[in-house]
Amino acid sequence: NINLNELKKIKEVYNYVISSNKSVLLLTRKINFKSFQMSISTPEFCKVQKLQFQKRKNEIVFIGSLGNNFNDRLRTLLYLQGKFKITIRIRNLVEKFFVLNSINYYLIKFFPRLADYLYKKKILPFTNKLKLINKNEVFGVNMLTELKKFKFCLNIHSDFDKNNNINARVYEALSSGCLLFNEKNNTMSKIFKDKKHVIYYNSENDLLNKLNYFKKNPKESYKIAKNGNDLFRKKYQSSKRLKDFIKILHNIFSEK
C-alpha cells in the first residue's frame, strides 16, 4: 500500500523494485523507477490426500490482519460469525469507530503491557465481537500446519490489493491442501479457475451458500482442493518462483 511520494523516497535509496501488485508497478513507470514483476509464493507443504482431507475439520479458517485497509475482511467475518463454524486467528482487531481505534493505538504505544492484558482478557476491542472467538495469529510452518487441519480456508484481499494482486495466503492455503474460498479477483482468476482450483464468491450471502454446499459435498470439495494443490505444486511453489527471481537477476546484471 504505497503512494507516488513514498515511492519517490524509496527511489532515492534503492535501484530496483520487485512487486506483484499491478498498481505499484504502474507507479514505478510514472517515475522511471526500474521494476520487475514477480508473484509471491510459499514452499510446498503437502500433497493433499483423500483420506487426510476427509479427516480435516469441516469448517473454515481465517488467518490474517484487520485494520483500515481491510474493511471487506471485517464485514465478511462478522457476517459469517454464528452462521457457519469458523476459526479465526487475527492480529490488529479493530474497533468500529475511529475514536476508539485512536485510543487503543495510544494505549498500545504507551502502556503495552496493559493493552496486551486487556486484549488477552477479551476486553479490547470494545466494539468488535470477533474478539470472543479470536485466537493468537500463527506464522510460518505453524500457520501451514494450522491450515492443514481444515477443509476450507477463507482469503480476502486487502483494499489496495483487490484485482491488482494475488496475496500470500492464496499460495499458503493451496500449499496446505485447503479448498480456498476467495472474493472474485480479476488477477487471480486468470490463473486459478473457479470451481476447478478455488471457489470465488460475489457477496457474503453467496459465500455462505457455497460454504454450506461444499460442506454437504465432500467429494467435490476434495476434487477442487486437489486440483488447486496440484497446480500450485506444479507451477507456483517457491522453488519455481526462484527461477523467476534468477531471471530478474540476470536481467539486472546484463545491464551493467
Side-chain angles (χ1 to χ4, degrees):
N1 186 18
I2 195 167
N3 60 44
L4 198 60
N5 289 331
E6 290 169 336
L7 204 58
K8 287 178 180 178
K9 292 179 181 178
I10 292 174
K11 187 181 179 183
E12 295 174 1
V13 182
Y14 295 96
N15 297 322
Y16 304 97
V17 171
I18 299 176
S19 177
S20 58
N21 189 301
K22 291 181 179 179
S23 61
V24 173
L25 295 170
L26 180 62
L27 289 176
T28 62
R29 287 192 283 271
K30 288 184 177 180
I31 59 173
N32 295 316
F33 194 171
K34 184 71 174 181
S35 61
F36 300 92
Q37 183 171 4
M38 187 178 78
S39 296
I40 304 167
S41 188
T42 196
E44 180 180 354
F45 186 64
C46 77
K47 181 178 180 180
V48 66
Q49 302 288 343
K50 188 173 184 178
L51 183 60
Q52 191 276 332
F53 186 83
Q54 291 173 342
K55 291 181 178 179
R56 296 184 180 202
K57 296 179 182 179
N58 205 22
E59 56 187 89
I60 195 165
V61 61
F62 177 87
I63 302 174
S65 302
L66 287 177
N68 294 329
N69 292 314
F70 303 99
N71 295 313
D72 287 350
R73 287 185 181 180
L74 178 59
R75 186 180 65 250
T76 302
L77 292 170
L78 287 170
Y79 176 84
L80 285 181
Q81 187 181 12
K83 296 182 177 70
F84 195 89
K85 195 166 184 181
I86 181 171
T87 293
I88 61 171
R89 291 183 175 274
I90 299 174
R91 71 176 182 273
N92 302 334
L93 273 177
V94 293
E95 304 278 6
K96 291 183 179 179
F97 308 107
F98 176 79
V99 173
L100 289 176
N101 276 325
S102 299
I103 292 172
N104 290 354
Y105 168 79
Y106 287 108
L107 185 64
I108 294 170
K109 183 176 181 179
F110 295 109
F111 304 99
R113 290 185 180 180
L114 175 60
D116 185 58
Y117 173 81
L118 294 175
Y119 275 100
K120 285 182 178 179
K121 290 295 182 179
K122 310 292 185 182
I123 297 171
L124 290 177
F126 291 112
T127 58
N128 192 333
K129 61 182 181 180
L130 291 176
K131 65 185 177 183
L132 301 176
I133 61 172
N134 187 38
K135 300 179 180 180
N136 292 333
E137 191 176 15
V138 287
F139 303 91
V141 174
N142 291 332
M143 179 186 62
L144 295 174
T145 301
E146 179 74 0
L147 290 172
K148 192 178 175 182
K149 297 175 183 177
F150 297 86
K151 289 182 178 177
F152 312 129
C153 176
L154 174 63
N155 178 62
I156 306 168
H157 285 80
S158 58
D159 298 351
F160 52 83
D161 267 342
K162 286 188 179 299
N163 295 316
N164 289 316
N165 194 24
I166 303 174
N167 66 17
R169 193 69 74 248
V170 170
Y171 300 105
E172 289 156 349
L174 297 178
S175 177
S176 303
C178 299
L179 174 58
L180 177 64
F181 290 78
N182 200 97
E183 93 283 348
K184 198 166 185 180
N185 180 308
N186 293 337
T187 298
M188 185 176 159
S189 61
K190 293 176 182 178
I191 299 175
F192 302 107
K193 303 305 179 184
D194 188 27
K195 297 180 182 177
K196 181 177 181 181
H197 306 116
V198 300
I199 303 298
Y200 295 111
Y201 64 89
N202 299 309
S203 65
E204 286 83 6
N205 187 58
D206 184 41
L207 171 61
L208 181 60
N209 289 336
K210 287 177 177 176
L211 282 169
N212 285 322
Y213 172 83
F214 284 102
K215 185 176 181 179
K216 296 174 183 176
N217 293 274
K219 290 182 179 180
E220 195 171 348
S221 296
Y222 168 70
K223 180 181 178 181
I224 299 173
K226 185 178 185 304
N227 286 341
N229 180 250
D230 287 346
L231 181 62
F232 162 81
R233 290 186 301 104
K234 182 179 180 180
K235 290 188 176 182
Y236 300 107
Q237 59 168 294
S238 295
S239 61
K240 306 292 184 183
R241 196 72 74 219
L242 182 59
K243 295 179 180 179
D244 296 333
F245 183 58
I246 291 172
K247 289 178 182 178
I248 290 173
L249 292 180
H250 281 306
N251 194 316
I252 289 173
F253 289 114
S254 66
E255 296 177 350
K256 296 182 179 181

